[in-house]
Amino acid sequence: MKKTEINSVEIARLAGVSRSTVSRVINNYANVPPETRRKVMEVIDAYHYVPNLSAQVLAGKGTRTIGLFVIEAGGHVSGDMLTNLLLASVVEHASSRGYYVLTYIIRNTSDAENVRGVKDIFYQRRVDGGIFIGAANEEPFIEELIAEGFAVGVVDQYLPGRNEGNRIVANFDNEHGMRLAVGYLHELGHRDIGIVNGDMNRFSGIDKYNAFLAAMQERGLEVRDAWVRPGSFHEEAGYLAVRELLQEEQRLPTALVMANDSVAFGALRAFQEAGMAVPDDMSVIGFDDHALSARYKPALTTVAIDFRDMMSSLTDYLIGHIEGAEGTAVRYYSQSKLIRRESCRPIGQ
Amino acid sequence: MKKTEINSVEIARLAGVSRSTVSRVINNYANVPPETRRKVMEVIDAYHYVPNLSAQVLAGKGTRTIGLFVIEAGGHVSGDMLTNLLLASVVEHASSRGYYVLTYIIRNTSDAENVRGVKDIFYQRRVDGGIFIGAANEEPFIEELIAEGFAVGVVDQYLPGRNEGNRIVANFDNEHGMRLAVGYLHELGHRDIGIVNGDMNRFSGIDKYNAFLAAMQERGLEVRDAWVRPGSFHEEAGYLAVRELLQEEQRLPTALVMANDSVAFGALRAFQEAGMAVPDDMSVIGFDDHALSARYKPALTTVAIDFRDMMSSLTDYLIGHIEGAEGTAVRYYSQSKLIRRESCRPIGQ
DNA sequence: TTGAAGAGTAAACACGTGTTTATGATCTTA
DNA sequence: TAAGATCATAAACACGTGTTTACTCTTCAA
């Protein structure tokens, strides 16, 4: 039924050369004269011949496959519609280098079946490497994989002193981003600034927290503990955090930094419910530049990150590492920029 | 570096049996007594042995891999954050049956490199089948694949009389859904109802158009051509369609059906800009129950579809077909239900 | 005691490619 | 003409598994 299976023996016969020659052409050996190469390539093209990947793998080549693991902690898709962008970046960049992407969703990092799926992908299907999105800072099975010698790329996870073996890391530059956010608010005249943070078991949660304190100190602004709200990187968490803030505190900040734009959306909803206007009664700034941020009412001021470039780089580094390139495995990503929209305004006007 | 590679020869040695027996145990042959099976399984478990997939494939087994192709026509991710849900459904359902999913993004169906990627996945990597999301109604390379004998699952694509060979189709029941939408508006007293439709090169575009006309006729409502607006399944299109409607028409409908929720979001934006209130000046109803619809202001009334179940079924049918099950290849999906929220209100109150 | 059935084996081949080795053929140049 | 370089080949092995075949050994029943 399927199209006639053609193999290297057939190609050799049709091109009037030996199978060795066909193999040498395909694998770009040096000692093949141009004329022979052309002749063989012609037959290959004419018959749309593609080497059988399984046979290549069995003969010692890699699978040229990367596992992409999206962790949906607590039922919340990490990054919401961002996931699609990240996925697309990885797939496109990988395929431009001849790699393809096996995608797997991890709903629950402690679910046995889920974890078995991950192991299967590494052991049975022998992907050359894996990329993890949405991982918590401590994820035992990732550490295991690294210890077992697999090449692993991780977004938003890093602790100094950890085994860096085959770990490639891409992170946001939260320090710079937070400096932009706090700095902008300060320039608008705000001094009473709070934050609704993300999960503290995620690197970006910890890092944003520290970066916020640092940025405030740099500007000589006082941090009020009651205005530093714990949270999680999704809409509902932002909603709840703001509701609690409004309930518990008499004195409110004039501006709030949000862990990301999803959190900010939740916050906007809570403010609206409470009858407070953004930005008139409260300035709000987010992180990430979510696809919807420009369309929200009010349009969300945010610190944008070039996710596409970040994922491309991570993919690039990972494939480089797989193919034996040397060099540091860890990379901080540092491009972030402020997008001014409607959700912040100068104080006292 | 990688964990010691163990193979069936080793397992046979350790279990004190022949390699044939190991193979017969793994492949569930009937004539293996329980005691022997147990003995072999113990060793397999103890050493975490998994057969090498490439070797299995070379020996004639399938790859147990499904290609998932997401088509992003015109730069718009089909279904926006829906894609993530669809992806997750397919991945989860497939892995529960021992299949894994190779994901590929098609940005441009006429881009040579993109199409080559698709072919690679079928020919070089020999996936057992493919699922296409966001395909237009006429997609030559999909027809080719079906003609070449590959098993293909498609969402939202079907024309009677087409070669059904290995085609599995899952569609929305637009007739029923549109009956719910128009019926609900009619019950609220609306008689002047318009529609902003989706792409007419997509099955759901054509089908929703026909279903709208039919539903209006059933209710004895007149269809005004000027209120039937062409469009496309994304936010920007909804925005533009409504802007045009407002510019071109003096007389307006009292209610609008939207091709999907993304389109509705765009419409809401346009109405807001024009100073019209929804639902006070215009009732709006969408399709799909997008994850954000409940949180919008106003919260969007919509016809919901159980996408997760739809994709699970499609995946199930496809795998069944791959594994040789017989039966009809085409299936209409029919569960849709009305979700009443804030964007519609009775006429004249 | 014979025969049959059941359990298990060793050996071989197939799948398609990469790679090595020994060898031969052709061409170039001194 | 001879030596060397260049090009190409056939043959063999490896990779790990599925499957078949011919065969041995045991056990059980007639």
Side-chain angles (χ1 to χ4, degrees):
Chain A
M1 194 65 78
K2 299 259 178 76
K3 200 163 183 173
T4 325
E5 314 278 352
I6 193 165
N7 57 24
S8 59
V9 177
E10 274 299 283
I11 297 293
R13 199 177 56 75
L14 292 162
V17 300
S18 72
R19 199 170 69 76
S20 328
T21 302
V22 173
S23 180
R24 275 156 49 225
V25 167
I26 290 173
N27 296 287
N28 283 313
Y29 275 53
N31 57 348
V32 180
E35 175 56 19
T36 307
R37 157 159 281 124
R38 197 193 50 72
K39 196 171 57 181
V40 173
M41 284 310 294
E42 251 173 27
V43 178
I44 287 180
D45 290 345
Y47 288 82
H48 299 110
Y49 166 71
V50 212
N52 181 313
L53 182 68
S54 298
Q56 289 183 314
V57 172
L58 207 51
K61 287 201 152 186
T63 54
R64 273 163 290 152
T65 306
I66 292 178
L68 180 62
F69 303 88
V70 180
I71 300 174
E72 296 189 0
H76 288 278
V77 184
S78 57
D80 291 4
M81 60 193 299
L82 218 58
T83 311
N84 201 64
L85 175 63
L86 305 186
L87 171 66
S89 312
V90 172
V91 168
E92 276 167 20
H93 208 74
S95 80
S96 80
R97 295 192 62 168
Y99 283 69
Y100 288 87
V101 179
L102 204 67
T103 310
Y104 192 72
I105 312 276
I106 304 176
R107 319 217 79 184
N108 185 342
T109 51
S110 49
D111 177 62
E113 202 193 331
N114 254 215
V115 172
R116 195 185 49 70
V118 177
K119 296 254 162 173
D120 262 17
I121 289 172
F122 279 91
Y123 284 106
Q124 184 182 30
R125 311 185 88 92
R126 313 208 166 216
V127 293
D128 296 326
I131 291 180
F132 290 84
I133 295 175
N137 217 16
E138 295 288 346
E139 216 68 277
F141 66 95
I142 296 182
E143 301 305 312
E144 273 177 40
L145 289 169
I146 291 171
E148 284 159 0
F150 291 105
V152 168
V154 193
V155 182
D156 188 26
Q157 184 200 47
Y158 177 59
L159 279 184
R162 205 173 243 183
N163 165 26
E164 294 190 4
N166 300 293
R167 192 194 312 260
I168 321 280
V169 182
N171 276 330
F172 319 118
D173 186 346
N174 293 305
E175 269 187 48
H176 179 241
M178 199 56 87
R179 216 178 273 133
L180 288 178
V182 170
Y184 176 59
L185 293 173
H186 190 205
E187 281 158 20
L188 291 179
H190 296 275
R191 301 191 61 85
D192 296 345
I193 305 177
I195 182 173
V196 175
N197 199 14
D199 309 74
M200 284 301 269
N201 69 342
R202 295 272 287 273
F203 174 65
S204 51
I206 302 167
D207 205 39
K208 275 189 175 122
Y209 175 78
N210 292 327
F212 176 73
L213 299 187
M216 291 289 280
Q217 189 172 22
E218 266 181 25
R219 292 269 169 175
L221 300 173
E222 193 197 346
V223 175
R224 245 179 93 104
D225 284 350
W227 295 347
V228 177
R229 312 299 296 193
S232 184
F233 289 106
H234 53 89
E235 201 263 3
E236 189 67 15
Y239 174 78
L240 293 175
V242 167
R243 252 193 17 179
E244 274 183 22
L245 174 70
L246 296 179
Q247 262 168 6
E248 295 174 8
E249 296 301 312
Q250 294 297 340
R251 190 176 149 210
L252 291 178
T254 60
L256 274 175
V257 178
M258 298 289 161
N260 69 18
D261 288 359
S262 293
V263 175
F265 297 153
L268 293 181
R269 185 158 61 96
F271 282 127
Q272 188 172 24
E273 270 189 25
M276 289 179 65
V278 173
D280 292 348
D281 304 329
M282 176 71 69
S283 286
V284 169
I285 187 169
F287 269 82
D288 290 3
D289 196 23
H290 193 286
L292 288 174
S293 301
R295 297 183 191 141
Y296 240 74
K297 289 292 168 189
L300 195 64
T301 292
T302 190
V303 178
I305 286 177
D306 190 343
F307 287 103
R308 178 169 286 278
D309 184 70
M310 183 178 78
M311 294 312 290
S312 298
S313 299
L314 180 62
T315 308
D316 221 31
Y317 274 67
L318 181 65
I319 293 178
H321 184 77
I322 288 168
E323 295 182 344
E326 295 297 327
T328 173
V330 179
R331 179 189 188 225
Y332 272 82
Y333 186 79
S334 55
Q335 299 300 325
S336 55
K337 66 174 197 244
L338 183 70
I339 313 252
R340 294 178 184 77
R341 295 206 182 94
E342 306 165 358
S343 63
C344 297
R345 52 164 270 182
I347 194 79
Q349 288 193 10
Chain B
M1 195 66 77
K2 300 256 179 75
K3 199 162 183 173
T4 324
E5 314 278 353
I6 194 165
N7 56 25
S8 59
V9 176
E10 274 299 283
I11 296 294
R13 199 178 57 74
L14 291 163
V17 299
S18 73
R19 199 169 69 76
S20 328
T21 302
V22 173
S23 179
R24 277 156 48 225
V25 167
I26 291 173
N27 296 287
N28 284 313
Y29 276 53
N31 57 348
V32 180
E35 174 56 20
T36 307
R37 157 160 279 122
R38 196 193 50 72
K39 197 171 59 181
V40 173
M41 285 308 294
E42 251 174 26
V43 178
I44 287 180
D45 289 344
Y47 287 82
H48 299 109
Y49 166 72
V50 212
N52 181 314
L53 182 69
S54 298
Q56 289 183 313
V57 172
L58 206 53
K61 287 202 153 185
T63 54
R64 273 162 292 153
T65 306
I66 293 178
L68 180 63
F69 303 89
V70 180
I71 300 174
E72 297 190 359
H76 289 278
V77 184
S78 57
D80 291 4
M81 60 192 299
L82 218 58
T83 311
N84 200 65
L85 174 63
L86 305 186
L87 171 66
S89 313
V90 172
V91 168
E92 277 167 20
H93 208 74
S95 79
S96 79
R97 294 192 61 169
Y99 282 69
Y100 288 87
V101 179
L102 204 66
T103 309
Y104 193 71
I105 313 276
I106 305 176
R107 319 216 78 185
N108 184 341
T109 50
S110 49
D111 176 63
E113 203 194 329
N114 254 215
V115 173
R116 195 186 47 71
V118 178
K119 296 253 163 173
D120 262 17
I121 288 173
F122 279 92
Y123 284 105
Q124 183 182 31
R125 312 186 87 92
R126 314 208 165 215
V127 294
D128 296 325
I131 291 180
F132 290 84
I133 295 175
N137 217 14
E138 294 288 345
E139 216 69 276
F141 66 95
I142 296 182
E143 300 305 313
E144 274 177 40
L145 290 168
I146 291 171
E148 284 160 0
F150 290 105
V152 169
V154 193
V155 182
D156 187 26
Q157 184 201 47
Y158 177 59
L159 278 184
R162 203 173 243 182
N163 164 27
E164 295 190 3
N166 301 291
R167 192 195 311 261
I168 321 278
V169 182
N171 277 331
F172 320 119
D173 185 347
N174 293 303
E175 269 187 49
H176 179 242
M178 200 56 87
R179 216 178 271 133
L180 289 177
V182 170
Y184 176 59
L185 293 173
H186 189 205
E187 282 159 21
L188 291 178
H190 294 276
R191 301 191 60 85
D192 296 346
I193 304 176
I195 181 173
V196 176
N197 199 14
D199 310 74
M200 284 301 270
N201 69 343
R202 294 271 288 273
F203 174 65
S204 52
I206 303 166
D207 205 40
K208 276 190 175 122
Y209 175 78
N210 292 329
F212 176 73
L213 299 187
M216 291 290 279
Q217 189 171 22
E218 267 181 24
R219 292 268 168 176
L221 301 173
E222 192 198 345
V223 174
R224 246 178 91 102
D225 283 351
W227 295 345
V228 176
R229 313 299 295 194
S232 183
F233 289 106
H234 53 89
E235 200 265 2
E236 189 67 15
Y239 174 78
L240 293 174
V242 167
R243 252 193 18 178
E244 274 183 22
L245 175 70
L246 297 179
Q247 262 168 6
E248 294 174 8
E249 297 302 312
Q250 295 295 338
R251 190 176 149 210
L252 291 177
T254 60
L256 274 176
V257 177
M258 297 291 161
N260 69 18
D261 288 358
S262 292
V263 174
F265 297 153
L268 293 180
R269 186 158 61 97
F271 283 126
Q272 188 172 24
E273 269 189 26
M276 289 179 64
V278 173
D280 292 348
D281 304 328
M282 176 71 70
S283 286
V284 170
I285 186 167
F287 269 82
D288 290 1
D289 195 23
H290 193 287
L292 288 174
S293 301
R295 296 183 191 142
Y296 239 74
K297 290 293 167 187
L300 195 64
T301 292
T302 190
V303 177
I305 286 177
D306 189 344
F307 287 104
R308 177 169 286 277
D309 184 71
M310 184 177 79
M311 294 312 290
S312 297
S313 299
L314 180 62
T315 308
D316 220 32
Y317 274 68
L318 181 65
I319 293 179
H321 184 77
I322 288 168
E323 294 182 344
E326 295 297 328
T328 173
V330 179
R331 179 189 189 223
Y332 271 82
Y333 186 78
S334 54
Q335 300 300 324
S336 55
K337 67 175 197 245
L338 184 69
I339 312 254
R340 294 177 183 79
R341 295 206 184 94
E342 307 166 357
S343 64
C344 296
R345 51 164 273 181
I347 193 78
Q349 289 192 8

